[in-house]
Amino acid sequence: MLDIGGSKGSKSLAILKQYPHLTAQVFDRDQIIKTAATFWVGKESAKLLARISYQAGNVLEAIPAAKNDKDIYLLSAVLHSLADQDCIKILRNLAIAIADTGARIAIMELVVPEFKADISSAACDMQMFMATRGKERTITEWQNLFDQAELMFEELIQLRSIGKILVLKQR
């Protein structure tokens, strides 16, 4: 698993605890990665921490390449804070990273209704409007971004929360 924009790796560690056969690589900005690995020392077991690694980089420039069809890229609440042009650039970099390996991309984001947005969706969208260049998106808006990045939308997974997982693969 490659946790893109994964900060210190808390989501990766939660997943690794549930699935002891997995490993994870967290990819984030240099200033985050510098302290990420040492942050968990003494808070988590050495055996668990041996299964997670960290790599610094810029998602707008390049993303580590997938090795095979067992790889999955996780982006959790990364794209909603970005303008469409930056989302497309990141998605294109993901398309390059997965190439023809069969790897998948799992994007955990809010998917707002096409009509009659609920209060939670509207509140989150307003936060994005006020604090970032991004926005919460409808499935049609997500699909438009995926199409421009030449990625195929494969599945929408419902979560118990207001978020969803959008699964993508190479065309």
Side-chain angles (χ1 to χ4, degrees), residues 1-2 8-9 21 23 25 27 52 64 74 78 94 109 135 138 143 147 152 163 168:
M1 177 181 70
L2 293 102
K8 291 180 174 71
H21 63 285
T23 60
Q25 179 182 44
F27 183 79
I52 190 167
L74 171 66
V78 171
L94 284 161
E109 291 281 0
K135 64 180 182 175
T138 65
Q143 183 67 55
D147 288 345
M152 183 182 294
L168 312 174

Side-chain angles (χ1 to χ4, degrees), residues 120-137:
S120 298
S121 298
C124 290
D125 195 31
M126 185 56 71
Q127 286 180 318
M128 291 300 101
F129 175 73
M130 300 294 290
T132 71
R133 295 179 302 150
K135 64 180 182 175
E136 303 302 348
R137 294 173 173 91

Side-chain angles (χ1 to χ4, degrees), residues 106-113 118 121 138-139 142 153-167:
I107 299 174
M108 292 177 58
E109 291 281 0
L110 187 65
V111 177
V112 298
D118 57 78
S121 298
T138 65
I139 194 68
W142 282 115
F153 175 57
E154 185 174 48
E155 182 179 5
L156 181 67
I157 300 170
Q158 303 290 331
L159 299 175
R160 290 183 207 154
S161 69
I162 63 172
K164 297 183 177 27
I165 300 175
L166 300 123
V167 180

Side-chain angles (χ1 to χ4, degrees), residues 58 80 142:
N58 182 339
H80 73 147
W142 282 115

Side-chain angles (χ1 to χ4, degrees), residues 30-94:
D30 185 54
Q31 61 266 38
I32 302 294
I33 296 301
K34 281 182 182 176
T35 60
T38 57
F39 177 82
W40 297 108
V41 174
K43 297 175 185 161
E44 297 290 350
S45 74
K47 186 176 178 181
L48 177 64
L49 295 178
R51 296 173 35 225
I52 190 167
S53 63
Y54 297 89
Q55 181 178 343
N58 182 339
V59 294
L60 292 168
E61 294 173 5
I63 293 173
K67 294 179 181 77
N68 57 48
D69 64 346
K70 305 265 188 283
D71 284 337
I72 187 158
Y73 289 78
L74 171 66
L75 288 85
S76 178
V78 171
L79 300 177
H80 73 147
S81 64
L82 300 172
D84 286 354
Q85 296 79 10
D86 287 338
C87 288
I88 293 165
K89 178 67 176 155
I90 292 167
L91 290 166
R92 284 182 178 154
N93 286 341
L94 284 161

